[in-house]
Every structure is written in structure tokens, then in C-alpha cells.
Amino acid sequence: MLQSEDVERLVAAARSARERAMASYSNFSVGAAVMCADGRIFEGFNIENASYGLTICAERVALFSAMVAGCGGVEAIALVGPGAEPLSPCGACRQVMLELAPDAEVIMAGDEAHLRRSVRELMPNAFGPEELDRT
Ligand code: THU
């Protein structure tokens, strides 16, 4: 579990990333931030495309950017969307979190509240890498 100062720092990074979201088609701006075990923070925002299906969510941008930079382990991922209520990550991002950040905490933030859950809580009965050992 992240200390409360780190939660605030990570949510602030996600909020700042959200301001740069490229969400001109949906107008639904999302920001995310990943905290690595070494304390580094990587930001992401949703990047939309005129070919809508090519859009990528903020969480995956932040996670992939952390991987490229050699993040040794993800401690936490924060995401912030529009409105007062916490934003819940989509199913595709949950699957990617399970692969790249299986032990991470997810901080889902809105303007007035946030919710904290583990990746495993968000992915019950998941299909994960260990299933591939069945072959
Ligand atoms: N979106 C995210 O960035 N993260 C989520 O977890 C939910 C959805 C983005 C994708 C798209 O650009 C917009 O929000 C509307 O679906």
C-alpha cells in the first residue's frame, strides 16, 4: 500500500497528464501515472485516432512508457477521468495491468473521491500468463 503522500503525488501526476489528453473525438480526457519501485513516475493520457479503434487508453500509455524506461516493478497506477466519481479502468487495461503490474495498487480518482484496489481485486478469475503453461 502506498503512503498517502505518494498517493497524492501520483494522483497529481495523473491529473497533470490528463490536461494533455488527446481526446478530440470523445472529449473524454483521461490521465494516468505509474509509480515504479525505484520511485520514478511515468505519465500517460489517452491518445485517440480518427480511426477510432486505434485509440489507446491513458493507463496503457503510462505503463508502456514505464516499461520502455526500464521500470523494474510497478508499485501503483493512478487514473483520473472527468467528473467527481472515481474512474474505473477498462477491461483491456486491467488485462495489461495483470501482465505488467500484477502486484500493483490501482488508485481510481475523480474530483471528489478516490478508490484504492489491487490489480488482482480488479481481475478475479483472470486469464494470465501462467495459463499458457497448460499446453
Ligand atoms: N479511456 C481511458 O483512457 N482509460 C480508461 O480506462 C477508460 C477509457 C479513454 C479511451 C477513449 O479515448 C476515451 O477514454 C473514451 O472511451
Side-chain angles (χ1 to χ4, degrees), residues 25-90:
Y25 301 104
S26 70
N27 273 322
F28 191 92
S29 296
V30 181
V34 161
M35 184 173 281
C36 298
D38 61 10
R40 284 185 296 166
I41 290 178
F42 294 91
E43 298 180 359
F45 46 72
N46 50 337
I47 302 176
E48 298 189 342
N49 193 288
S51 176
Y52 299 162
L54 300 184
T55 290
I56 182 166
C57 294
E59 301 92 306
R60 276 176 284 152
V61 171
L63 276 167
F64 295 160
S65 160
M67 293 302 115
V68 169
C71 171
V74 177
E75 297 262 298
I77 307 164
L79 64 147
V80 181
E85 296 306 315
L87 178 69
S88 197
C90 82

Side-chain angles (χ1 to χ4, degrees), residues 115-130:
L115 255 182
R116 299 171 65 167
R117 296 282 183 272
S118 67
V119 167
R120 291 187 199 281
E121 282 174 307
L122 295 179
M123 282 298 276
N125 309 115
F127 173 84
E130 62 287 348

